[in-house]
Amino acid sequence: AADEALRADMLRETEMFFNYLVREDRSILDLYRADYTFVNERLARHYGFPGVAGNEFRKIQYPDNTRRGVLGQGSVLVQTSYANRTSPVLRGKWVMEVLMGTPPPPPPMDGSVAPLEETAEAKNGKILTTRERLEMHRANPTCNSCHRFMDPIGLALDNFDVTAKWRQREN
């Protein structure tokens, strides 16, 4: 369960990661590709990383290739989720705005676009996945102009749940 202490640990992870990049004069590409991070026992346990004990943060190598750089850190993944579900759109938009400096245009304000939640109904008795709902949303040419860029980025991060834990599939 994510609580305030865990959220503070996630923020500390990102602060230490960024400070390390600057202090050690690391490549800017490490923002995206770094195979290391900074965790304490609580955060390591939350992420499922073995062998970390104690409250002190330390630099560790990621134990596998599911996480890399800042895009594998809880502070980013939690911030770009809703309270009850992940959001590939929020995650993709955040990457475009913050990391790439190319924000997508705002959605039309005329009410012509249905919110993604309205496409969540079952199709032929089957509940649609987020990916399937986004595909339906992108079928609208107005939506497609932005979502074709945001959605692939966000969907690439959708194996992380709302608390930044790795999952094999959407719940």
Side-chain angles (χ1 to χ4, degrees):
D3 59 15
E4 287 309 310
L6 185 61
R7 291 178 206 280
D9 289 347
M10 290 174 177
L11 181 58
R12 183 75 181 133
E13 171 190 23
T14 302
E15 289 170 347
M16 291 185 76
F17 177 76
F18 183 75
N19 287 338
Y20 177 82
L21 293 179
V22 172
R23 186 178 61 253
E24 299 298 319
D25 197 26
R26 301 291 302 183
S27 167
I28 190 70
L29 296 177
D30 276 8
L31 274 174
Y32 305 101
R33 68 180 182 196
D35 63 353
Y36 56 87
T37 194
F38 295 82
V39 294
N40 62 5
E41 181 178 357
R42 177 178 31 236
L43 190 55
R45 189 173 46 241
H46 180 75
Y47 288 160
F49 300 165
V52 178
N55 291 327
E56 296 298 315
F57 276 78
R58 80 269 345 235
K59 182 180 175 219
I60 64 157
Q61 296 296 126
Y62 283 126
D64 57 40
N65 64 359
T66 57
R67 294 177 194 266
R68 287 289 182 262
V70 74
L71 295 176
Q73 296 180 3
S75 65
V76 171
L77 296 164
V78 170
Q79 168 188 317
T80 56
S81 293
Y82 292 116
N84 61 342
R85 69 173 177 84
T86 60
S87 175
V89 175
L90 285 179
R91 288 178 175 175
K93 182 177 183 283
W94 186 88
V95 170
M96 288 180 71
E97 284 179 344
V98 175
L99 297 181
M100 298 170 72
T102 56
M109 299 302 281
D110 62 4
S112 63
V113 176
L116 187 60
E117 289 77 16
E118 290 182 20
T119 61
E121 308 88 45
K123 183 177 181 181
N124 298 327
K126 177 185 173 245
I127 300 295
L128 299 177
T129 65
T130 302
R131 184 178 297 273
E132 291 167 330
R133 291 191 326 247
L134 285 170
E135 287 171 7
M136 290 176 64
H137 192 73
R138 281 193 308 271
N140 179 331
T142 303
C143 303
N144 187 289
S145 63
C146 295
H147 281 270
R148 67 184 169 156
F149 299 110
M150 288 186 299
D151 294 357
I153 296 168
L155 285 167
L157 299 172
D158 208 42
N159 278 102
F160 295 105
D161 72 11
V162 298
T163 68
K165 285 185 178 180
W166 181 259
R167 62 184 179 180
Q168 291 302 317
R169 62 188 166 123
E170 195 176 324
N171 295 333

